[in-house]
Amino acid sequence: MSHSNPLKLHPAALPYHAEVGVTPLSDEKRRTLAWVGRDRRVLEVGAHTGYLSAQLRAQGCEVTAVENDPCAAVYAAPYVHRLIVGDFEDPAVRAELGTGFDVVLFPHVLEHMIDPWRALRAARPLLAPEGRAIVLVPNVASWLVRKALFVHGRFEYVDTGVLDRTHLRFFTLESAAALLMESGFAVRATELLDVNVPLERRLRHLPLPGMARLANGWRRFMTACHPNLCAEIVLLVATPREE
């Protein structure tokens, strides 16, 4: 049974739309593309309007995409080899996808799902023997969310970002890794993205000598010792674990 489209909660349509050839490629997208690699068979779950799909095709990848928003799918269609409009949580949709994918990519979609554990378990048999899952999720324990909650007492939904009003699930770095492990995967690599370190900007703006070096050192220390505080997005690479 297909679930209702949560994107309807957004006051504006296509809130994450990016123009291919116009919108600059973010560091997050660059790192994702690097982990996918070239000339891969990719299943992209949640293609939205196809910005990442187009970059994958430019790397020689064969892209099958699932998108549950019909309006977004219209934009994505020219950038993929095959498009299924529907909800990945729907078994009937998954039955159309085929198998043998080198990569199953979940770019900011698991937090929108009712049961991301089941979705990940369902993704395992879609992978080729040496295939892997690449997952990106926002980190609800990041500094800016904590600051708003503990300093200002605010935990307010917004149109985009970590507290996107359409998110059904929230993850930290640890619970995101646990999500994969509980779904039958072994986490092989973790990357911190959109790093925001407490006090770093203040240090850089102090009109004193050596502040840039001090700020750089502070950034390295905090991301190494407190990654869950500093990363707004986590990228995880995982392979199916033998049960």
Side-chain angles (χ1 to χ4, degrees):
M1 180 177 178
S2 182
H3 306 300
S4 61
N5 182 3
L7 293 174
K8 291 180 181 177
L9 293 173
H10 279 295
L14 309 178
Y16 293 101
H17 177 61
E19 290 286 344
V20 175
V22 176
T23 305
L25 195 64
S26 66
D27 182 59
E28 173 194 319
K29 296 292 191 298
R30 286 193 182 91
R31 297 307 306 147
T32 302
L33 292 166
W35 278 110
V36 171
R38 301 189 63 84
D39 304 319
R40 305 290 187 185
R41 287 195 67 215
V42 178
L43 172 59
E44 184 184 6
V45 181
H48 198 46
T49 55
Y51 180 83
L52 183 58
S53 312
Q55 314 304 325
L56 290 166
R57 284 197 65 165
Q59 292 189 170
C61 294
E62 179 185 318
V63 182
T64 297
V66 180
E67 175 52 50
N68 72 342
D69 183 348
C71 295
V74 170
Y75 288 88
Y79 303 116
V80 301
H81 294 85
R82 185 166 175 246
L83 176 67
I84 290 90
V85 180
D87 187 343
F88 185 80
E89 291 193 85
D90 185 342
V93 170
R94 295 197 300 268
E96 297 183 46
L97 297 174
T99 60
F101 293 100
D102 300 306
V103 176
V104 176
L105 180 59
F106 291 92
H108 294 284
V109 292
L110 292 172
E111 61 270 24
H112 296 272
M113 292 184 176
I114 292 173
D115 192 342
W117 293 267
R118 180 177 293 179
L120 282 167
R121 285 193 293 270
R124 290 185 58 192
L126 305 181
L127 286 165
E130 302 300 319
R132 57 190 178 180
I134 299 176
V135 168
L136 292 100
V137 293
N139 172 26
V140 75
S142 59
W143 164 239
L144 293 181
V145 177
R146 294 196 206 193
K147 180 182 177 183
L149 179 60
F150 294 114
V151 177
H152 303 290
R154 294 199 306 265
F155 191 89
E156 298 173 355
Y157 289 101
V158 292
D159 292 341
T160 60
V162 178
L163 296 182
D164 182 311
R165 66 182 75 256
T166 66
H167 289 176
L168 302 180
R169 301 286 182 174
F170 292 96
F171 298 100
T172 65
L173 270 60
E174 289 80 6
S175 66
L179 165 66
L180 280 157
M181 290 186 286
E182 291 164 8
S183 303
F185 286 86
V187 177
R188 303 301 183 187
T190 302
E191 279 207 35
L192 309 180
L193 300 172
D194 282 12
V195 172
N196 193 311
V197 176
L199 302 180
E200 181 185 358
R201 286 184 186 173
R202 290 181 181 270
L203 289 174
R204 292 190 187 280
H205 286 91
L206 285 175
L208 298 171
M211 283 298 104
R213 185 169 62 180
L214 178 61
N216 291 338
W218 176 247
R219 181 183 178 89
R220 288 193 298 271
F221 169 78
M222 289 295 290
T223 52
C225 296
H226 303 284
N228 204 40
L229 180 66
C230 299
E232 294 185 26
I233 297 169
V234 59
L235 182 155
L236 302 108
V237 181
T239 55
R241 190 177 66 242
E242 291 189 13
E243 299 292 338

